[in-house]
Amino acid sequence: MYVAVLIGLAAFLIFSILAAITFGNADLSLKDVYSVIAYKLFHIKSLSAYAEGAVHDVVWLIRLPRVLLALAVGMALSVCGVVMQAIVQNPLADPYVLGISSGASLGATLAIMLGVGGFLGGNSVGVPAFIGAMVTSFAVIAIANMGGKATSAKLILAGMAVSAVCSAFSNFVIYITNDKWTMGSLAGASWSRVGVMLPVTLICVIIFWTQYRNLNLMLLGDDVSITLGTDLHRLRTFYLIVASVMIGFAVYCAGVIGFVGLVIPHVIRILFGTDHRRLLPLSALLGASFLIWCDVACRVILKNSEMPIGVLVSIIGAPCFIYLLVRKSYGFGGSK
């Protein structure tokens, strides 16, 4: 069953990529779209007419990088959601709810305001975004542990408080610079961003996948891990750093997109349980496809305009978050 679903999600992701590049404001035929891609990939001489021109630019320089960036960001957010939920032992955790995305956004906006991107190159803004994400993640855990051991409620409240502070500063910077990227958008996609975001995501996902046993152990708690001779404290620190790298670059490339890391892992967990050996790859594939189609919807819902993807995902994710809280159907392994 698991293998069949894994193959099915991989096939659906490939289909999503091929289908998503056919959507957009420019009215292009399927022949034109796939001819451009065929020429760029295989250099077929009979398709040399698509080597340049408006059709080439729309497909190869705008649509395809955008789809691949959506794939990388969706995969990163979903996997980070799985890992954060294991780290804090809270199935309602994700980078957005815990304020980590807001911290990354603050780091990126400060870097842009100070001109770091122009000094070291555009993609270098991902570095201060990573620093902001990492500092925020440790701050949330530290605040939640004040006055006693952290609980699920304290983690959520600490994340919301830190997120509010970071968002306030970020919004102030955005107001000054008149830039709306923090609402979430893939409109700035380019091959240079894809060339950074996609490898970072794939490497980090592979790292986490090799750690599935330790992630499973985290769900059992520190007491059990100590008896088994595993230091979860060091592992948590390492996982937070790796997750912060992914979130930092994801926020820099696409702004703040919430709830992907909450909804996708929960869907997979309901169907296949809490084993991270299965949970991580399935969440990665489903998250990538989910964000690709959300981006397609953002491009077609408003005629001659574009809805910020962060807005659309929040419209979907926030009711799911409220439903889980009200129903209290958010435990690991089906427990409530």
Side-chain angles (χ1 to χ4, degrees):
M1 175 67 176
Y2 162 70
V3 175
V5 173
L6 186 67
I7 295 173
L9 284 177
F12 179 68
L13 179 58
I14 295 173
F15 165 77
S16 298
I17 295 171
L18 296 175
I21 56 178
T22 64
F23 291 91
N25 291 326
D27 188 13
L28 302 179
S29 66
L30 295 179
K31 177 179 178 295
D32 289 338
V33 171
Y34 295 126
S35 293
V36 171
I37 295 175
Y39 176 79
K40 297 297 292 190
L41 293 180
F42 306 109
H43 298 286
I44 302 174
K45 292 184 178 180
S46 61
L47 300 176
S48 59
Y50 293 96
E52 56 183 5
V55 174
H56 166 274
D57 292 346
V58 169
V59 175
W60 189 254
L61 300 181
I62 298 176
R63 290 188 183 178
L64 188 56
R66 182 169 182 148
V67 171
L68 293 179
L69 187 62
L71 179 155
V73 172
M75 188 175 291
L77 294 176
S78 299
V79 170
C80 282
V82 172
V83 174
M84 293 304 300
Q85 289 160 15
I87 289 174
V88 303
Q89 294 178 290
N90 181 0
L92 291 180
D94 87 328
Y96 182 79
V97 174
L98 292 181
I100 299 173
S101 294
S102 297
S105 174
L106 178 59
T109 52
L110 289 176
I112 293 171
M113 183 178 69
L114 297 174
V116 175
F119 179 69
L120 297 176
N123 288 323
S124 66
V125 176
V127 175
F130 147 68
I131 295 173
M134 185 174 63
V135 171
T136 303
S137 62
F138 285 115
V140 169
I141 292 178
I143 294 172
N145 278 287
M146 290 181 178
K149 187 177 179 180
T151 63
S152 296
K154 289 174 67 178
L155 284 164
I156 295 293
L157 293 174
M160 293 176 65
V162 172
S163 176
V165 173
C166 292
S167 296
F169 280 104
S170 295
N171 290 336
F172 177 68
V173 175
I174 297 303
Y175 174 75
I176 294 175
T177 59
N178 194 29
D179 190 340
K180 300 180 180 179
W181 72 278
T182 54
M183 286 192 291
S185 175
L186 296 165
S190 63
W191 282 112
S192 63
R193 290 191 176 184
V194 172
V196 173
M197 186 68 217
L198 191 56
V200 166
T201 298
L202 294 177
I203 291 171
C204 292
V205 169
I206 292 172
I207 290 173
F208 284 133
W209 199 6
T210 63
Q211 298 294 306
Y212 71 88
R213 289 188 179 88
N214 291 326
L215 290 169
N216 287 341
L217 187 58
M218 284 184 176
L219 301 183
L220 301 178
D222 289 61
D223 294 337
V224 175
S225 69
I226 291 174
T227 62
L228 297 176
T230 302
D231 185 357
L232 290 185
H233 177 71
R234 291 184 178 181
L235 288 173
R236 284 193 184 97
T237 302
F238 172 65
Y239 296 161
L240 282 174
I241 292 173
V242 176
S244 296
V245 171
M246 298 174 73
I247 293 302
F249 279 94
V251 169
Y252 163 61
C253 290
V256 178
I257 302 174
F259 299 108
V260 176
L262 171 68
V263 175
I264 299 300
H266 187 73
V267 170
I268 299 298
R269 193 179 288 112
I270 288 175
L271 298 175
F272 294 96
T274 59
D275 185 358
H276 286 85
R277 182 172 56 179
R278 298 182 175 186
L279 184 58
L280 283 165
L282 293 177
S283 295
L285 293 172
L286 183 59
S289 298
F290 173 74
L291 205 64
I292 286 174
W293 286 109
C294 283
D295 183 54
V296 169
C298 288
R299 284 183 275 155
V300 301
I301 287 177
L302 302 177
K303 188 175 182 180
N304 298 324
S305 185
E306 179 179 322
M307 175 184 291
I309 193 169
V311 174
L312 179 63
V313 174
S314 294
I315 291 174
I316 299 172
C320 294
F321 181 70
I322 295 171
Y323 173 79
L324 294 177
L325 284 174
V326 173
R327 297 282 298 179
K328 297 183 179 179
S329 56
Y330 48 82
F332 289 116
S335 62
K336 298 185 180 182

